[in-house]
Each structure stands twice: as C-alpha cells, then as structure tokens.
Amino acid sequence: MTRPIRCLITAGPTREFFDPVRFISNPSTGKMGYALAQAALDAAWTVDLISGPVALPPPQGVNLYPITTGAELHETCHDLFPSCDILIMCAAVCDMRPAQSHPHKVKKETFEWNVRFEPVPDILKSLSNVRKPGQVLVGFAAETRDIAEYARRKLEEKNLDWIVANDVSRSDAGFASDTNTVTLYARTGETYALQPGTKLEVASSLLALFAPTLSRTQSNT
Ligand code: C5P
C-alpha cells in the first residue's frame, strides 16, 4: 500500500520587529497558502501548514505550525522539510529586518529614524541545498513587472522544480484577493498559463500538475 503524499506548505506574511510593538511586514493574507492546504487535503494528502499571522481559520485536518518572524519560519521549515515529499513555499517572507531590534518599546523621543536593515536569509534556497533526491520544491514569485523573466531567474537561482508567478499589481490577483491568475514555470522548461479562478480552483489545478511527478517519486521509494 502506498502512503499518502506528505506536503509542507508555508503561508501568510512574516513580521520583523523594531521593538515589541512595531514591525515591518507585507499585505499577505494567507489566502493562497490556505487554499493550497485545503486542495491538498481534498486530494487526501497529509498537510503540514506553517502559517504567519493571518485572520483565517486553518483548514480542518492540517497540522498547523504558527510562526511570526522569518527566523521562526526558517527553523520550523528545516524541522519539517526532511519528512515532506513536496514543499510549497507560498509564504510572503519579509525580505528585510531591522539590523537592531530593541527588547523594550522605544520612546519616540529616542527613536533612531534612520533605521538600518539587513537581509532575511533565503529560506527556500537553504532548503533546496539540503533536499533529498525525489523531494519536489515549489516557490512563488509575486511580481509587478517582467514577471516571466524574474520567475525563471528565481527557479534557477533557488534550484526549484516549479515556480508559480503572480502579478500582484492586478486587483483580481495576488495579495488579499479571493481570485488569482498565475503562470506556472517548470524546471524542465514548460510554461502553463492557468485558467483564472478562485484561489481554491487555482490551487487544485496546481496540485494536479505537481501530482504526476510525486506519484513517480513515491513508487520509487
Ligand atoms: O526572491 P523572492 O522573495 O521573490 O522569492 C519568492 C520565493 O522565495 C517564495 O517562494 C518565498 O516564500 C521564498 N522566500 C524565502 N526566503 C526569503 C524570501 C523569499 O524562502 N527570505
């Protein structure tokens, strides 16, 4: 008997704090990641969902791992990644963090207005460096222009099998929208312009395209 496919999905934003009450983040609502988790459950996959702070109820049946910062996402991803067949990195990781974070609320009078930032290390890249043969890695690329070019570059640089690109400058796609329009790029060179739809419909179409590569992997183990 084959075991169910085990899927690790990350969703929502991360936050990077200046002090305990102030942070930098992005407008991600987690809707696409949660739709992927629901679609994976519908396909009878086992789902580990690592979620940044969002206002959505987790799909019933997922193993939920709440995180807040990029560092927490990094650690939880590395804990869970070894046992997954497919990683779908849908989280909108906040790319930068204040170089200095204060343990107590900083008073306005003493606030350092020229805040220095440092990069948040690329989690997906660090995971692709430790992948085992057969593990499938999927990234997301939120772009406002030159979408195909940036998406292909990320596919290569992060050593992914697939990248899902969405145009976040549209009001009916990307952050906060209930619908999405995405293009999927494969490591093997194919491009799939998916039918626009609800995020759940788009998620199901994506999983249907990933599934054949996973089935092959499973029968090899
Ligand atoms: O390079 P960019 O941030 O646009 O790449 C997007 C992809 O990389 C997404 O899948 C996102 O979850 C992931 N990412 C990451 N660690 C970061 C930044 C992005 O894993 N520090």
Side-chain angles (χ1 to χ4, degrees):
M1 214 174 78
T2 53
R3 63 178 173 79
I5 287 166
R6 189 165 200 115
C7 179
L8 175 58
I9 298 173
T10 69
T14 57
R15 293 178 178 173
E16 301 298 340
F17 288 82
F18 299 91
D19 71 16
V21 297
R22 302 180 180 101
F23 59 82
I24 177 172
S25 189
N26 59 61
S28 170
T29 57
K31 284 182 181 172
M32 191 65 223
Y34 277 52
L36 283 159
Q38 184 62 60
L41 289 170
D42 294 346
W45 295 5
T46 302
V47 182
D48 293 324
L49 175 64
I50 309 178
S51 177
V54 298
L56 298 171
Q60 212 177 353
V62 298
N63 306 311
L64 181 70
Y65 298 85
I67 56 89
T68 305
T69 64
E72 290 165 5
L73 180 60
H74 184 280
E75 188 182 339
T76 312
C77 277
H78 277 271
D79 284 348
L80 297 174
F81 181 64
S83 50
C84 80
D85 300 301
I86 174 168
L87 163 72
I88 307 179
M89 194 81 188
C90 189
V93 182
C94 183
D95 283 321
M96 61 218 44
R97 64 184 165 212
Q100 214 193 343
S101 172
H102 299 271
H104 295 287
K105 182 179 175 185
V106 177
K107 292 286 154 208
K108 280 196 281 292
E109 300 75 41
T110 57
F111 195 78
E112 173 56 66
W113 294 105
N114 293 314
V115 177
R116 226 166 35 81
F117 288 95
E118 63 183 20
V120 169
D122 196 308
I123 300 165
L124 192 47
K125 207 167 178 176
S126 72
L127 292 165
S128 78
N129 288 339
V130 296
R131 74 196 290 175
K132 289 181 297 209
Q135 280 187 305
V136 171
L137 267 70
V138 184
F140 268 69
E143 303 292 349
T144 54
R145 62 182 176 140
D146 301 328
I147 295 165
E149 187 195 329
Y150 286 133
R152 288 217 165 277
R153 197 184 300 168
K154 277 173 201 175
L155 185 72
E156 188 106 339
E157 281 173 2
K158 297 178 197 247
N159 190 24
L160 307 174
D161 299 290
W162 307 89
I163 194 147
V164 183
N166 54 359
D167 181 351
V168 289
S169 65
R170 298 166 57 126
S171 61
D172 60 344
F175 294 135
S177 169
D178 287 324
T179 53
N180 213 352
T181 304
V182 305
T183 307
L184 179 67
Y185 298 88
R187 178 209 284 272
T188 45
E190 298 93 342
T191 300
Y192 302 87
L194 269 70
Q195 195 71 16
T198 65
K199 286 189 170 172
L200 186 57
E201 287 165 348
V202 170
S204 303
S205 306
L206 287 169
L207 297 193
L209 287 162
F210 305 148
T213 44
L214 285 163
S215 314
R216 271 203 299 279
T217 304
Q218 280 223 315
S219 57
N220 288 341
T221 54

